[in-house]
Amino acid sequence: MPAPAAARQAARKPIALSVEDALSRTQLSPYWLDNPAQPPAEPKLTRDTAADLLIVGGGFTGLWAAVQAKEQMPELDVVVIEAGRVAHGASGRAGGIISTSVMHGLPNAVRVFPNDIAQLEEFGHRNLDGFEETLKRYGIDADIEWNGEMTVAVDPDHVEHLRADYDLHKQHGHDVVLLGEQATREQLDSPLFAGALWSRNRSGIVHPAKLAWGLKRAALTLGVRLYEHTALMSVKDEGETVFVKTRDGSVRAPRVLFGSGTAKVGIADINRRVLQVRDHVLATEPLTEEQLARIGWKNRQGIYDTRTQLNYFRLTKNNNIIFGGLVSYHFDGDPNPARDGKPETYYRLAEAFYKTFPQLCDVRFSHAWGGPIDYCSRGSVFAKRYLGGKGVFVAGYTGFGVAASRFGAFMGLNILFGRNSPEQALDIAKLSPTYIPPEPVRWLAAKVTFHAFDGADAEGGWKRAWINGIKAMGFPM
Ligand SMILES: Cc1cc2nc3c(=O)[nH]c(=O)nc-3n(C[C@H](O)[C@H](O)[C@H](O)COP(=O)(O)OP(=O)(O)OC[C@H]3O[C@@H](n4cnc5c(N)ncnc54)[C@H](O)[C@@H]3O)c2cc1C
């Protein structure tokens, strides 16, 4: 005898896990790096050597710089030194949502360089062309899906902001659609979503570690000398050349590109302009077809929500959900990843996940990790000369560097080699982000700001006023 409809419904209802249970088997390491495709580390540098170009850092910036430098000047002897392993910095810890913009999105471009929007948009498009062509040229399989990025309003009041963003994107020729509540929930179902802006303009998702490993292989194929587990210990301007000491060797080069993110590399000015915020991420276990059907997501977009304490999420090739976005700051930007291990961080993130997707109350988390965000007042990449012009530092992506790092490396190389390329005429290449106050003001301001993030949307009051004050001082939130 068939079960009555109510009984069938009850039988199908998933059994909710407690957050403790859902996190009980979670390993504290990036999902992306837990992959047999990870190549073996290259040997460390154990002697004194010289090169035409030294690149410090084996993340996206350093790897894109190495590949582009060798493609542009095959005769160049290029050395890359990486303190740990390729992709173990921000690059292998990212959400992996690809944006067309090199400016952390069009609204940020309007905020920072309102007179150069057309050119900045063009750089973004050309950057993605180059990005795609490079992956094809070297056969890099990084699980890319070009399904766009979608910003979802988690409060009916936020729909107005999306409408303004929609108009802006339309004005600049983007393929965007504004979705009402029902249409949004047909794309991806959450009781929180009140509307969405879906930008289908050449954005999507990528496996960030596979991308970095593919770029590493391309660089090696082109003849780049890469040394892993080789940290820069000190840097000295020798006039004609720069001398970089590593633990067991040294590199002397007339040109150095620093793709070292927020790490301290002996140039104090860098850390006055960039600060390290830690961002945190959870990966679920792979969803079954039935679990995936509960939320829809057939178009598999990369998603951001409109919370002040923003969450972003996407699917992997195996249908794990990557769910990120809970920021913290450690005094003096302490980069020790052990600081990312606080259980309460992931409890809070898991709670945000279940609030967003209550239908997935039976889903567990396999991985949890944190990573460095190179925050700067521009909210997007800059390249600045040091060491009498023999060194150029490239960073500042503020959480949006998966594709923009290719452009950052391109702009950095153009400055380093004195080329007259179009971006060099614009403020993006000529200006640098403003100073961020030093410690302990940094730490205090970060603590108050992140505390304000937590209640700003629901409570408003002083929290909203504080965030608006920081924004008015020119710092992106
Ligand atoms: C949790 C998280 C989520 C993110 N999500 C997204 C996203 O969805 N989309 C997006 O576009 N961006 C995202 N980002 C940002 C993106 O990952 C970064 O902008 C990008 O990876 C920066 O690349 P990078 O090469 O400049 O820095 P890194 O990848 O950090 O590389 C810097 C490298 O320099 C090395 N290094 C440091 N000091 C030294 C030294 N002294 N000697 C030698 N080597 C040194 C480090 O070991 C490191 O490998 C995210 C970042 C994080 C942390």
Side-chain angles (χ1 to χ4, degrees), residues 56-62 81-84 89-91 93-97 230-232 259-261 263 265 279 281 312 371-373 397 399-402:
V56 180
F60 290 141
T61 301
I81 55 169
E82 161 54 48
S91 299
R93 295 166 181 270
I97 301 177
T230 301
L232 171 153
S260 39
V265 285
D279 192 18
V281 188
Y312 50 89
I373 300 280
Y397 306 99
F400 264 67
V402 167

Side-chain angles (χ1 to χ4, degrees), residues 385-449:
R385 285 168 192 272
Y386 293 100
L387 305 165
K390 294 181 290 300
V392 168
F393 172 79
V394 181
Y397 306 99
T398 316
F400 264 67
V402 167
S405 50
R406 181 185 174 279
F407 173 77
F410 172 78
M411 178 165 69
L413 287 174
N414 287 340
I415 295 177
L416 200 51
F417 286 88
R419 293 191 196 117
N420 204 7
S421 54
E423 84 287 352
Q424 300 297 317
L426 301 182
D427 287 346
I428 190 171
K430 291 197 283 195
L431 302 181
S432 306
T434 52
Y435 280 163
I436 303 171
E439 298 296 5
V441 178
R442 247 178 215 214
W443 179 82
L444 258 173
K447 282 279 151 194
V448 179
T449 304

Side-chain angles (χ1 to χ4, degrees), residues 24-47:
S24 59
R25 299 186 216 149
T26 307
Q27 74 186 65
L28 192 66
S29 62
Y31 166 82
W32 306 117
L33 300 176
D34 185 8
N35 191 307
Q38 173 157 218
E42 290 300 299
K44 46 168 111 156
L45 179 67
T46 53
R47 63 191 173 90

Side-chain angles (χ1 to χ4, degrees), residues 106 166-174:
L106 193 45
Y166 170 78
D167 292 340
L168 180 66
H169 282 85
K170 271 286 186 204
Q171 242 176 50
H172 291 279
H174 285 244

